Amino acid sequence: MKIAVVTPYYKEDPATLRRCIDSVAAQTVRADHFMVADGHPSAEVAALGGALRHVILPRAHADLGNVARAMGGLLAAAEGYEGVAWLDADNWFKPRHLEILLRVHEKTGAPLCHSWRTLHRPDGSRLPVDAAEEIAGRHVDTNCWLVFRPAFDLLRVWFMPRELGPVGDRVFFQAARRSGQKIAASRGKTVSYTTLYARHYERAGEKSPPDAKSGIMPAARAWLGKPANRKTTIAALGFCPEI
């Protein structure tokens, strides 16, 4: 089965990009890695070959990688790939991540399969808290999905309004649930996620990084609270997400 992993990237440092790339190359099932430069191509990425595909968008889109995710996914679909996963440049997969999700798909027939994740500090060390919403079934992070061809209509969800970029994973999750397609979980924490969300550090009893994120949900709700923005969102997605 042909699987593509799509990584949108912007201005990440070479070491971070290499960690991401190496984690895909180390998967126990083959996957082709689509590195999609959002307006700022890396010379280091351009120099790599093998199963890595370098896609360059002519300008940055200021949407936290959503256009790049969409373009990489649609390109893979057009080229006959049967599964698409996403991996942000600052995150990495554990070696059996794709294999486990492929087995979930084969066992259940679900075209939407996902894992859980471990949370990590910017230096890569493990943060001693879980992503509680995911374990409770209320959320799936972008990096945890493996989407198969019967659900490829959802690839276009990433063309959501730019203002929803900070909550794009939540929009995609709601679109997946609304699609009527079967969703199955591996229940394994096979994605390593670098978190800059202040709430994760607060739960761990630690000081947040200087660039920690907070207030994302209220900002998205305020934007969607305006009738014109709701109309724009419905036109793009066919529904208005509940944030």
Side-chain angles (χ1 to χ4, degrees):
M1 177 176 288
K2 290 179 63 178
I3 296 175
V5 177
V6 176
T7 292
Y9 78 92
Y10 180 56
K11 293 181 179 180
E12 291 81 5
D13 65 83
T16 298
L17 292 172
R18 191 71 207 218
R19 182 180 64 186
C20 171
I21 292 167
D22 287 349
S23 80
V24 175
Q27 291 299 294
T28 54
V29 295
R30 176 185 168 86
D32 291 336
H33 199 174
F34 287 62
M35 294 290 293
V36 185
D38 195 22
H40 294 273
S42 160
E44 288 80 4
V45 172
L48 297 174
L52 190 143
R53 297 279 303 279
H54 195 199
V55 181
I56 301 172
L57 303 185
R59 66 179 182 86
H61 293 82
D63 62 358
L64 298 182
N66 279 350
V67 167
R69 287 186 190 94
M71 296 302 291
L74 292 173
L75 180 60
E79 294 186 7
Y81 286 82
E82 297 165 272
V84 171
W86 294 279
L87 179 63
D88 291 348
D90 57 346
N91 302 327
W92 64 100
F93 289 155
K94 294 178 175 64
R96 295 187 61 227
H97 172 72
L98 294 176
E99 177 192 349
I100 290 169
L101 289 182
L102 182 58
R103 299 294 172 257
V104 170
H105 170 67
E106 292 171 346
K107 181 178 180 180
T108 66
L112 291 163
C113 299
H114 69 85
S115 70
W116 293 340
R117 56 184 169 153
T118 53
L119 303 177
H120 296 258
R121 304 176 185 89
D123 66 4
S125 60
R126 175 82 181 270
L127 197 65
V129 292
D130 290 323
E133 281 186 293
E134 295 167 21
I135 294 173
R138 299 193 302 269
H139 179 56
V140 176
D141 182 73
T142 301
N143 298 265
C144 295
W145 288 108
L146 178 55
V147 177
F148 293 89
R149 185 163 287 275
F152 274 7
D153 283 351
L154 290 169
L155 299 180
R156 298 180 180 274
V157 171
W158 297 116
F159 289 131
M160 67 187 73
R162 183 179 63 183
E163 292 81 1
L164 294 179
V167 293
D169 54 351
R170 296 177 182 277
V171 175
F172 189 89
F173 178 56
Q174 290 186 34
R177 296 183 73 175
R178 291 174 60 92
S179 72
Q181 298 278 9
K182 186 176 181 179
I183 300 173
S186 72
R187 304 178 69 83
K189 299 174 185 177
T190 52
V191 172
S192 300
Y193 180 90
T194 301
T195 181
L196 289 175
Y197 289 102
R199 68 179 184 274
H200 290 152
Y201 292 89
E202 290 167 1
R203 285 176 49 213
E206 297 185 10
K207 183 178 179 180
S208 301
D211 53 349
K213 303 174 185 179
S214 62
I216 289 173
M217 302 284 280
R221 292 189 193 104
W223 188 83
L224 284 171
K226 298 180 180 180
N229 296 339
R230 292 179 65 86
K231 183 177 180 180
T232 296
T233 301
I234 292 170
L237 301 175
F239 74 102
C240 189
E242 298 178 4
I243 303 299

